Amino acid sequence: MNGISQKLGYAGLIPFVFFAAAVAVGTDWAIEPFILYSALILSFMAGACWGVLQAHRDHVSPVELGVAIGVFLWGWPMVYLPHTVGLAGLLVGYWVLIGLERRAVFLTSYKPDYRTMRGVLTLVVSMCHIGVIWVLLS
């Protein structure tokens, strides 16, 4: 993977960490931008997965395509739900995508260093979501 892709991937964590930290210190305004950014990134990642699946239509099932499209659509209603429910729903979406990316078409399409980066990104995003949920429930 080239350096710019990796830098952009990790730079995408900055808003997650910033808004999660702001929520953790009691900043009320930070929860909505966190949720909106999360829905945006979830849709972006689902769209990227859909693109990979489209490029390999001969090797994927309609279910796999449906999962990518479903996750793309899944994130946006989460914006309108109570915060803890929406955050949990977004978290589920990220884990569904990482599960989808374990399918054969992604294992052959994604280089190992990209798969490693995706795992790290999903872990950090998950920790941010769980942390914000924790703060909101406290």
Side-chain angles (χ1 to χ4, degrees):
M1 174 172 24
N2 66 32
I4 191 70
S5 296
Q6 195 167 27
K7 287 175 183 159
L8 289 171
Y10 287 112
L13 291 175
I14 293 169
F16 281 113
V17 173
F18 173 78
F19 291 127
V23 169
V25 298
T27 307
D28 292 335
W29 61 263
I31 186 64
E32 283 83 12
F34 182 92
I35 292 170
L36 287 170
Y37 183 71
S38 182
L40 175 71
I41 295 301
L42 181 63
S43 291
F44 172 79
M45 294 309 302
C49 288
W50 181 75
V52 169
L53 294 168
Q54 283 293 103
H56 301 282
R57 288 286 302 234
D58 298 340
H59 306 298
V60 300
S61 72
V63 171
E64 291 168 319
L65 283 168
V67 168
I69 293 167
V71 172
F72 176 83
L73 297 171
W74 172 260
W76 291 105
M78 299 302 121
V79 171
Y80 300 102
L81 295 174
H83 292 149
T84 54
V85 175
L87 287 164
L90 290 164
L91 182 58
V92 166
Y94 285 106
W95 283 97
V96 168
L97 279 187
I98 207 78
L100 180 65
E101 289 177 342
R102 299 290 186 250
R103 307 293 292 182
V105 66
F106 291 98
L107 295 177
T108 58
S109 297
Y110 290 171
K111 293 183 180 199
D113 56 345
Y114 179 79
R115 289 195 310 268
T116 299
M117 182 184 76
R118 282 286 295 119
V120 170
L121 295 175
T122 300
L123 179 62
V124 172
V125 167
S126 297
M127 289 173 22
C128 288
H129 280 73
I130 291 167
V132 171
I133 292 168
W134 181 272
V135 168
L136 293 176
L137 292 176
S138 297

